[in-house]
Amino acid sequence: MEVRLTERLHIVAHISQGPANRLAKALGIILFLYCFAGMANAQNAVSAVLGGEISRGYEAASEVNVRDRGAVSAVRVGDQPAVRLRLDYAWAGGDLDWRRLGEPGFAQRIQFRESPRNRMRAGREYWYHTRFMIPATMPRVRNHSLSLFDFKHHIGPAGSVPTVSLVILPDPSGVHIIEGLNSRWTCGSYRNANGGRSDACDMTETVARLGSQADYSNRWVDVVSHARWSNDDGGFFRMWIDGRAIFGFAGDTLQGTSEVEHKFGLDRHHMNGDPGMAEAYFANVSRTETCEALGDVDCAQLQTITRNGFSNVGRQFRIAKPDYSDNR
């Protein structure tokens, strides 16, 4: 009978003390080393696709990530070195996601984020390149949402909020960009499911449809972003997908916060039962001070972005996101 790693850890944690205690300790050490080796291999697989000044600056979101070794693999897609990320419902995840609303099965993820000392700060410009591919074999996203990457502002000592995200939504089905930079935020702190404090913000998000899941499957998609984070009118954020202008904003891009992180991977939530295997490939994740330093981007072909809002997108709608108010 096969026992998954998470089940093994559960079994070891509940072995009673007594004559078998030494065996339990030995098994615990073995499983710790197994887990550590798995995390190290995952980190190595991700590091191989990072570039620019951030080549060693990403870490696993270990408190919420699934732990199965099958979640992260170093692969090649044609001549492209890549990392394959997967989510299987049976792998569960950290309680802050998996049991977010009290019952198991709400959310799970396998994500990598800029470490605290490598986050973006106010005052300088940042260029990003993220390449991803969704396999055509991945089930259509239904009855949940699946995020592929986002920019996240850190609020207070224990909170954060995504402010520009690329997400596959079920209704209307397809790939979307969600942004909250064009909204004023109301932020505060609330008690979370673990008894600690979390900081969050209320805002109004604008959601723009890029196309169907099939439109963005079975091919490499290139996303380039250019930002200056600022607590005054000197800030801006711009995004291109496959060279086309997608989103622009100029103004206060920090709104009282102090730092921003880039994060990529798979994060699915509001699940209602097993949605099937989620899978995506990532390559050429880079951060530099200039577009030219990205190396694999034709900067001259990026369409000019001169106004706030979305370009080259389909249906748009706005939705209130009361993350703070709903938890007080």
Side-chain angles (χ1 to χ4, degrees):
M1 180 181 70
E2 179 184 355
V3 182
R4 294 186 183 276
L5 174 59
T6 52
E7 293 168 341
R8 292 176 189 160
L9 289 170
H10 182 79
I11 291 168
V12 169
H14 287 80
I15 293 178
S16 62
Q17 294 185 353
N21 195 40
R22 282 179 295 179
L23 175 61
K25 288 181 178 178
L27 284 172
I29 292 171
I30 291 170
L31 289 172
F32 172 79
L33 293 174
Y34 181 88
C35 239
F36 181 81
M39 287 187 287
N41 288 338
Q43 196 69 47
N44 289 338
V46 168
S47 295
V49 303
L50 302 178
E53 63 187 26
I54 206 68
S55 58
R56 296 185 181 274
Y58 281 76
E59 62 182 17
S62 56
E63 74 278 10
V64 285
N65 273 2
V66 301
R67 293 288 185 171
D68 197 280
R69 282 190 166 205
V72 185
S73 302
V75 297
R76 295 190 71 87
V77 181
D79 61 353
Q80 177 74 75
V83 59
R84 182 183 66 198
L85 302 182
R86 284 177 165 176
L87 286 177
D88 188 313
Y89 192 76
W91 297 341
D95 282 349
L96 286 173
D97 277 348
W98 189 247
R99 295 179 177 272
R100 190 180 304 170
L101 300 184
E103 297 295 327
F106 177 79
Q108 63 178 172
R109 74 179 77 192
I110 179 72
Q111 286 186 314
F112 293 82
R113 63 195 176 194
E114 290 174 324
S115 59
R117 65 186 180 87
N118 288 291
R119 290 172 186 159
M120 294 168 279
R121 268 70 176 191
R124 62 158 284 196
E125 296 185 19
Y126 298 90
W127 284 86
Y128 278 85
H129 178 216
T130 306
R131 177 173 290 165
F132 73 88
M133 180 170 64
I134 308 166
T137 54
M138 191 182 83
R140 180 180 171 187
V141 171
R142 300 176 185 270
N143 300 320
H144 68 287
S145 299
L146 177 66
S147 172
L148 295 172
F149 72 81
D150 59 60
F151 290 86
K152 176 171 279 192
H153 285 60
H154 281 261
I155 304 158
S160 57
V161 57
T163 46
V164 181
S165 308
L166 191 145
V167 183
I168 306 177
L169 296 178
D171 185 22
S173 179
V175 179
H176 293 70
I177 292 289
I178 302 176
E179 68 85 14
L181 293 175
N182 264 311
S183 167
R184 298 304 303 175
W185 310 345
T186 301
C187 302
S189 177
Y190 67 91
R191 185 174 296 277
N192 61 37
N194 286 351
R197 305 297 299 182
S198 292
D199 296 293
C201 292
D202 297 348
M203 62 177 62
T204 299
E205 294 181 321
T206 304
V207 184
R209 188 172 189 267
L210 299 177
S212 70
Q213 182 174 323
D215 292 338
Y216 285 82
S217 297
N218 208 35
R219 68 179 183 89
W220 286 113
V221 179
D222 286 286
V223 184
V224 174
S225 302
H226 181 204
R228 180 192 296 133
W229 305 109
S230 176
N231 274 303
D232 57 32
D233 290 341
F236 62 79
F237 183 91
R238 302 161 185 156
M239 177 179 286
W240 299 262
I241 295 182
D242 296 329
R244 293 179 301 119
I246 295 297
F247 175 68
F249 174 76
D252 183 348
T253 50
L254 283 177
Q255 300 210 31
T257 63
S258 60
E259 54 192 27
V260 183
E261 74 178 22
H262 177 260
K263 186 170 57 177
F264 71 93
L266 300 173
D267 176 11
R268 58 184 181 181
H269 49 86
H270 289 83
M271 292 186 292
N272 182 16
D274 186 353
M277 178 76 77
E279 181 176 355
Y281 297 79
F282 292 87
N284 299 87
V285 180
S286 302
R287 186 181 95 184
T288 59
E289 290 192 75
T290 67
C291 182
E292 289 73 20
L294 291 172
D296 53 359
V297 173
D298 188 347
C299 301
Q301 295 301 311
L302 298 178
Q303 293 180 0
T304 301
I305 299 177
T306 58
R307 64 181 182 88
N308 284 4
F310 286 100
S311 304
N312 299 307
V313 299
R315 176 175 178 249
Q316 297 181 45
F317 58 96
R318 290 168 67 82
I319 184 169
K321 185 182 180 185
D323 280 2
Y324 167 50
S325 299
D326 277 1
N327 288 283
R328 279 188 288 181

